[in-house]
Amino acid sequence: MEQHLDLHFPLFARGYNMKNEAVYLVLKEDLPEACKYFVHERGGRIFTILGNDERQIHGSFALYYIFSIDSEQQFITLKILIGESDLTFPSITNKIPAANWYEREIFDLLGIMPLNHPSPYPLIFHHERPRGFYPLRKEFSLDVKIPHQQVVEHFTKVEGTGIVQIPVGPIHAGIIEPGHFRFSAVGDTVIHLNARLFYTHRGIEKRSEGMPLNQALLLAERICGVCALSHAASFAHAVENIGQTELPERARFLRTIFLELERLYNHIGDVGNICAGFGFAFGISQGSRLREELLQLNERITGHRYLRGVIRLGGTHVDLSLSQIRDIRNTLHRIESEFRELTEILLSHEIAMNRMQSTGRLSLSQVMDLEVVGPAARASGRNIDIRRDQPYAAYSILSFSVPHYTEGDVLARIRVRIDEAFQSFSLIDQAIDRLPTGKICTPINDLPAYHWAFGWSESPRGENVHWFMTGPNQTIYRYRIRSAAYSNWPAVPLAVQGNIIPDFPLINKSFELCYSCCDR
């Protein structure tokens, strides 16, 4: 049920779509004030924003602004309707900077313009928006080729004595995904950095339209290579929320074990990758070796190094035998000991500490303005973790702490990963100790058409949020993916500013962000 929101009166009336979600239908002109209220007065933070072509349902487009109020374990959804006679909406980016990318993407893909947006340039497109081609409108076919437009650069210009422009990418020397970075520098000091992504946008959200749910789950697993399980768990969580499906207890614990195994191989591998940013060969090789051992463990117990095929709607495909549990415990016990030795050497190494300390600082105010998530947020003092704040799987039952620091530099970001890895060892051990007997899957209830819900998970890089609306016959009508990388990429240029150019690879690696998670 949707309630019309009147900001002049206390907000007592609430209509629920999910059990912990309040939904308000807001007049378009009231949107900025409503968003400001839930962020500044209620302590909410943007969880995701999306546009949806609902003309087939009720004759208009719709925008959804979803906020997480962590202190209350509550979600607030503000919905506005956009008629075809006026395809505009008031931008909130000037009041809430984290809305910047969301609003520009809505314009690119749906053709609905954010009025008074401070930077109304294309985000997904790298050229002028082709008129009349809006991929997320229902009449747009996957077979249609968008015509090539003349490239128009929309980089921030920095002028002054001694300032030089240094372009890097989108094709890089290493085997990495494409991204363009344009440095404005004086000498080797970065004055400003423009970062451009979305070179390989895959149209996953469009491709999902009309897909059966099980097929869409396979698509969700392929959003990102190294967060495959987190994305699959988020999508399954959304489906289960719409169907009000209760997971079997054993499945909840199994999901937790597998999610923490994914966090472990990422965090330990990322420690090695960060060492590559300053040429610490011992850290690089040991981080890579331990990561490889964890990937081999994943393959032994699930059949896939990156844990694809583990999640199933309503539970898991994979169970654990007693011999596999022994394998997990023996392997993790040894890796924990070796990882502890590695981190002790790293954090006592004078040159390593010198390169990481005070490098790439991101302030708490910057983190909050941009709604940075995951280790990057916690390294700057924002104590958020969706496993604790909006629990799922078995996290509400298990005991763990959320490491956080205040310095906001490369060292703080690597410390968060190190501390979280040790928490993951503990979580897996607890989950195995408390693993109940019973079935590992339950059938999904039939889902009514044109209902929506969202699911979430705390991936190694931060929270992933998957929103979707059902179509007829258990299919997808609209699928929206908000990855941790999507939230965090806008913060990287801020962390680079004022540092020297040779420190960019180190700073960039300390965020360890994925390109493909944005190119969905």
Side-chain angles (χ1 to χ4, degrees):
M1 184 174 71
E2 297 163 357
Q3 299 286 334
H4 283 277
L5 175 63
D6 187 341
L7 292 174
H8 302 291
F9 297 97
L11 302 175
F12 293 125
R14 291 176 175 176
Y16 287 87
N17 192 53
M18 300 189 318
K19 61 183 179 181
N20 58 337
E21 179 195 16
V23 182
Y24 296 97
L25 188 61
V26 181
L27 296 176
K28 187 160 64 170
E29 58 270 24
D30 290 336
L31 177 69
E33 198 64 28
C35 291
K36 184 179 175 183
Y37 171 82
F38 282 110
V39 170
H40 298 299
E41 301 297 326
R42 294 284 301 278
R45 57 189 181 87
I46 291 178
F47 209 50
T48 192
I49 299 173
L50 65 131
N52 192 15
D53 182 353
E54 299 181 5
R55 289 174 295 170
Q56 297 174 6
I57 306 170
H58 51 68
S60 64
F61 293 92
L63 303 184
Y64 296 80
Y65 291 70
I66 302 172
F67 301 90
S68 175
I69 303 181
D70 298 331
S71 61
E72 302 174 19
Q73 294 189 353
Q74 172 81 23
F75 292 108
I76 300 294
T77 292
L78 304 181
K79 178 180 178 180
I80 63 172
L81 301 179
I82 308 290
E84 288 192 81
S85 61
D86 182 14
L87 292 176
T88 64
F89 65 100
S91 170
I92 64 168
T93 297
N94 281 317
K95 296 179 186 239
I96 305 173
N100 177 11
W101 275 21
Y102 296 99
E103 294 182 339
R104 290 164 64 192
E105 182 174 337
I106 287 168
F107 191 16
D108 280 359
L109 301 183
L110 281 166
I112 306 172
M113 180 184 294
L115 296 177
N116 300 316
H117 192 287
S119 181
Y121 304 119
L123 179 73
I124 307 300
F125 298 114
H126 288 180
H127 41 69
E128 291 300 285
R129 296 180 183 90
R131 291 185 180 274
F133 289 86
Y134 303 112
L136 286 183
R137 291 190 181 183
K138 292 303 179 184
E139 67 268 21
F140 186 90
S141 170
L142 278 171
D143 299 329
V144 173
K145 291 186 177 181
I146 297 178
H148 178 72
Q149 302 286 307
Q150 181 179 359
V151 173
V152 178
E153 299 290 354
H154 292 299
F155 292 114
T156 301
K157 293 182 179 179
V158 180
E159 298 177 341
T161 304
I163 293 178
V164 296
Q165 301 288 322
I166 305 170
V168 177
I171 307 303
H172 298 272
I175 304 174
I176 64 171
E177 299 163 279
H180 179 71
F181 303 96
R182 180 165 296 195
F183 299 85
S184 299
V186 175
D188 62 358
T189 300
V190 179
I191 304 300
H192 182 79
L193 172 63
N194 283 291
R196 172 172 284 176
L197 307 179
F198 305 100
Y199 280 89
T200 54
H201 193 72
R202 295 168 290 170
I204 287 176
E205 293 179 357
K206 181 66 178 181
R207 187 170 296 277
S208 71
E209 292 178 3
M211 270 191 180
L213 298 179
N214 283 319
Q215 188 177 348
L217 175 61
L218 299 180
L219 194 65
E221 283 188 316
R222 283 149 182 82
I223 294 165
C224 172
V226 294
C227 292
L229 189 80
S230 297
H231 281 296
S234 296
F235 176 75
H237 191 197
V239 173
E240 290 148 9
N241 278 334
I242 289 186
Q244 299 182 342
T245 303
E246 289 292 332
L247 289 181
E249 280 296 295
R250 187 172 179 87
R252 293 173 62 198
F253 279 83
L254 288 171
R255 282 191 183 181
T256 303
I257 291 169
F258 295 131
L259 285 164
E260 292 308 309
L261 284 171
E262 181 177 74
R263 190 179 322 282
L264 269 179
Y265 83 73
N266 273 279
H267 276 1
I268 290 176
D270 289 348
V271 169
N273 287 337
I274 293 171
C275 290
F278 51 89
F280 186 42
F282 173 78
I284 300 168
S285 60
Q286 292 302 308
S288 298
R289 180 182 66 82
L290 294 175
R291 178 179 184 270
E292 175 61 25
E293 291 198 31
L294 287 164
L295 292 174
Q296 291 180 12
L297 172 65
N298 290 344
E299 186 171 21
R300 290 197 302 273
I301 63 174
T302 72
H304 200 285
R305 288 162 61 84
Y306 295 98
L307 300 169
R308 283 183 181 166
V310 168
I311 297 292
R312 179 180 181 182
L313 300 181
T316 66
H317 280 294
V318 177
D319 203 349
L320 293 176
S321 67
L322 290 177
S323 62
Q324 288 173 322
I325 287 173
R326 283 195 297 270
D327 188 8
I328 293 172
R329 281 197 144 143
N330 292 338
T331 302
L332 293 190
H333 179 75
R334 176 175 50 78
I335 289 177
E336 181 178 9
S337 176
E338 295 181 14
F339 182 61
R340 190 178 301 278
E341 182 179 358
L342 164 61
T343 57
E344 287 173 354
I345 292 170
L346 172 64
L347 298 178
S348 63
H349 194 288
E350 183 178 354
I351 296 175
M353 294 293 285
N354 179 263
R355 287 299 305 276
M356 295 188 291
Q357 205 160 17
S358 301
T359 302
R361 276 188 164 153
L362 193 66
S363 70
L364 177 59
S365 62
Q366 289 170 325
V367 162
M368 295 184 72
D369 281 345
L370 295 179
E371 297 292 7
V372 175
V373 296
R378 295 188 281 274
S380 295
R382 193 166 199 195
N383 185 6
I384 57 172
D385 189 319
I386 206 71
R387 295 174 296 172
R388 176 200 62 197
D389 301 333
Q390 302 279 7
Y392 56 97
Y395 287 110
S396 62
I397 302 170
L398 303 175
S399 174
F400 64 101
S401 63
V402 177
H404 57 282
Y405 293 82
T406 58
E407 294 81 3
D409 55 9
V410 171
L411 179 59
R413 289 190 280 276
I414 200 171
R415 281 187 182 277
V416 168
R417 287 185 175 85
I418 290 168
D419 293 350
E420 285 188 7
F422 289 118
Q423 290 296 314
S424 292
F425 286 120
S426 171
L427 277 165
I428 293 169
D429 204 41
Q430 291 179 59
I432 287 174
D433 281 341
R434 303 180 64 169
L435 185 62
T437 58
K439 59 184 181 179
I440 63 171
C441 191
T442 191
I444 296 291
N445 300 323
D446 286 344
L447 308 185
Y450 310 120
H451 282 221
W452 82 81
F454 46 91
W456 56 91
S457 66
E458 182 77 22
S459 83
R461 286 155 185 78
E463 64 198 28
N464 292 326
V465 183
H466 289 221
W467 185 102
F468 91 97
M469 177 179 282
T470 54
N473 303 316
Q474 314 298 297
T475 60
I476 299 287
Y477 183 83
R478 170 75 166 102
Y479 184 21
R480 171 71 167 103
I481 303 147
R482 197 279 280 161
S483 67
Y486 189 90
S487 291
N488 287 359
W489 264 115
V492 174
L494 299 182
V496 173
Q497 189 173 330
N499 291 264
I500 59 175
I501 291 173
D503 276 340
F504 171 69
L506 172 59
I507 297 167
N508 197 20
K509 288 177 186 294
S510 74
F511 284 86
E512 203 59 49
L513 299 180
C514 181
Y515 297 72
S516 68
C517 275
C518 293
D519 280 332
R520 72 276 176 278

